[in-house]
Amino acid sequence: MATQPLPTFKTARRSRFALRWYTWLLLLAAIAYGIAFAMHWDDRGVLWVKERFKSPAERQASVWLPDYRAVIDGKLLPGMEKDEASDLAYDPQTKTLFSVMGKNPFLVELNLQGDVLRKMPLVGWSNPEGVTVLGNGLLAIVDERSHLITIVKVDADTRELNIDNFTKYDLGPSKDQNKAFEGVTWDSQNQQLLLGEERPPALFAWKGDGRVLTGDKLKLASHALDMRNLSALAIDPRTGHMLVLSADSHLLMELDKKGEQVSFIALLGGFNGLKDTIPRAEGVTMDEAGNLYMVSEPNLFYRFEKKK
């Protein structure tokens, strides 16, 4: 009876080499899947496919983020390298932007080109992470560490703000006290503040008249928040759609009035006119013309415009 030849040294070495490569391929595949799962790339893929089937009329009735391109790409905000820009809000009355600095508490006014007009120390704030414009010179500032929202008055002569001089509201406990309320925007159409918890991402609404808040905040459905964290919120004044920013996911997402996903852009280098990835996008806002503005830690400014 014929016998099988014993494997040679070369054959065994090739087998071990093939097994080693196979193991490495499995490991790389597992790592790639883990990253894709953590970044919600599978959800982005589904939304990207859905975007392809949107009609021109549907796109026209939305913000439609895929059409935006960066026209100011990472402009430095001078003298704020150690302050950490945390949010951004547009004031339609002054045609300027307001940003809060989280590490060293400041309120900063910028023009629409990202030039600093003035810096106002925020006395008594611990870690301001959110700001929104209510109108008539009123702004709401969220302090993530102390779980407070404060309504302040800012006019042309304001040079400093002291928290003891203004009305404060307790935001209450969060699931993760260290990753609490960070996003805030004023929804003028529905007369309410919209609030966002950083992690796990969640949305809340708090009724008010632009001067005072009434009742208590109510939790909203957050099933569409397929992102690792929530950094900031904004409302498009034209459509009423919500913009949700995630620094960890390098993502800006558009939700309609029902809270459903409409469109998105990846804040990565090579996409939408960005030369480099936005390192940590922490603030977003939009003006009445539909121009988008963002700030990133530590002190970077971005402006996006919709291509014609």
Side-chain angles (χ1 to χ4, degrees):
M1 183 173 63
T3 58
Q4 295 292 331
L6 293 173
T8 65
F9 175 75
K10 289 185 177 180
T11 302
R13 186 170 61 179
R14 282 197 297 268
S15 297
R16 288 196 299 270
F17 182 77
L19 181 61
R20 190 180 300 120
W21 269 105
Y22 181 71
T23 302
W24 274 108
L25 285 174
L26 285 178
L27 180 60
L28 289 173
I31 293 173
Y33 176 79
I35 294 174
F37 181 81
M39 297 292 287
H40 295 276
W41 288 345
D42 52 342
D43 300 309
R44 299 293 82 74
V46 171
L47 181 54
W48 184 86
V49 171
K50 289 181 179 178
E51 285 180 349
R52 304 309 102 190
F53 292 94
K54 295 288 186 180
S55 68
E58 289 176 307
R59 298 184 183 195
Q60 187 67 29
S62 68
V63 177
W64 202 249
L65 293 170
D67 283 349
Y68 278 80
R69 296 292 180 270
V71 295
I72 298 179
D73 186 0
K75 180 177 179 177
L76 289 172
L77 299 175
M80 300 183 194
E81 297 82 359
K82 299 180 180 180
D83 295 333
E84 294 186 357
S86 294
D87 199 6
L88 193 64
Y90 172 72
D91 189 333
Q93 292 179 309
T94 61
K95 308 295 183 185
T96 59
L97 302 163
F98 288 92
S99 179
V100 285
M101 304 290 127
K103 190 172 183 179
N104 299 305
F106 279 93
L107 178 67
V108 180
E109 187 174 12
L110 310 168
N111 65 20
L112 301 186
Q113 303 304 314
D115 300 315
V116 177
L117 303 178
R118 56 176 166 165
K119 291 177 64 175
M120 294 159 276
L122 294 174
V123 179
W125 276 266
S126 300
N127 186 30
E129 289 286 339
V131 63
T132 190
V133 173
L134 304 174
N136 300 313
L138 296 177
L139 283 73
I141 298 176
V142 169
D143 193 303
E144 185 180 30
R145 188 172 300 152
S146 60
H147 301 265
L148 292 176
I149 185 165
T150 307
I151 295 179
V152 304
K153 177 75 172 180
V154 177
D155 58 30
D157 298 322
T158 302
R159 293 295 176 265
E160 180 181 281
L161 296 166
N162 190 309
I163 197 170
D164 292 334
N165 297 331
F166 303 104
T167 303
K168 297 177 285 293
Y169 299 86
D170 188 355
L171 289 168
S174 297
K175 187 172 183 179
D176 185 341
Q177 292 291 87
N178 296 318
K179 301 292 181 181
F181 289 94
E182 186 159 330
V184 62
T185 190
W186 173 242
D187 179 5
S188 60
Q189 294 181 9
N190 296 300
Q191 290 290 286
Q192 61 184 3
L193 272 179
L194 296 172
L195 297 154
E197 277 188 310
E198 182 182 2
R199 188 178 291 119
L203 294 173
F204 296 80
W206 202 333
K207 289 292 185 180
D209 62 1
R211 293 172 297 147
V212 297
L213 301 177
T214 57
D216 200 358
K217 66 183 190 300
L218 299 174
K219 190 168 186 178
L220 304 177
S222 304
H223 63 274
L225 298 180
D226 296 320
M227 49 184 58
R228 295 178 65 195
N229 80 317
L230 187 156
S231 301
L233 300 172
I235 291 288
D236 173 19
R238 305 160 305 161
T239 64
H241 287 192
M242 186 190 304
L243 300 175
V244 187
L245 183 66
S246 173
D248 289 350
S249 296
H250 298 291
L251 172 75
L252 179 66
M253 183 183 294
E254 175 189 3
L255 305 181
D256 64 18
K257 293 181 180 180
K258 297 179 180 179
E260 300 297 331
Q261 298 177 2
V262 178
S263 68
F264 78 98
I265 54 172
L267 307 177
L268 303 173
F271 291 87
N272 297 85
L274 291 170
K275 182 180 178 181
D276 300 308
T277 297
I278 298 180
R280 187 160 188 84
E282 291 286 340
V284 64
T285 192
M286 177 175 274
D287 64 24
E288 64 276 340
N291 299 310
L292 269 171
Y293 306 88
M294 287 188 203
V295 288
S296 170
E297 291 182 355
N299 62 331
L300 300 177
F301 175 84
Y302 300 81
R303 171 172 167 149
F304 293 79
E305 294 179 4
K306 200 167 187 177
K307 64 183 181 181
K308 304 300 182 183

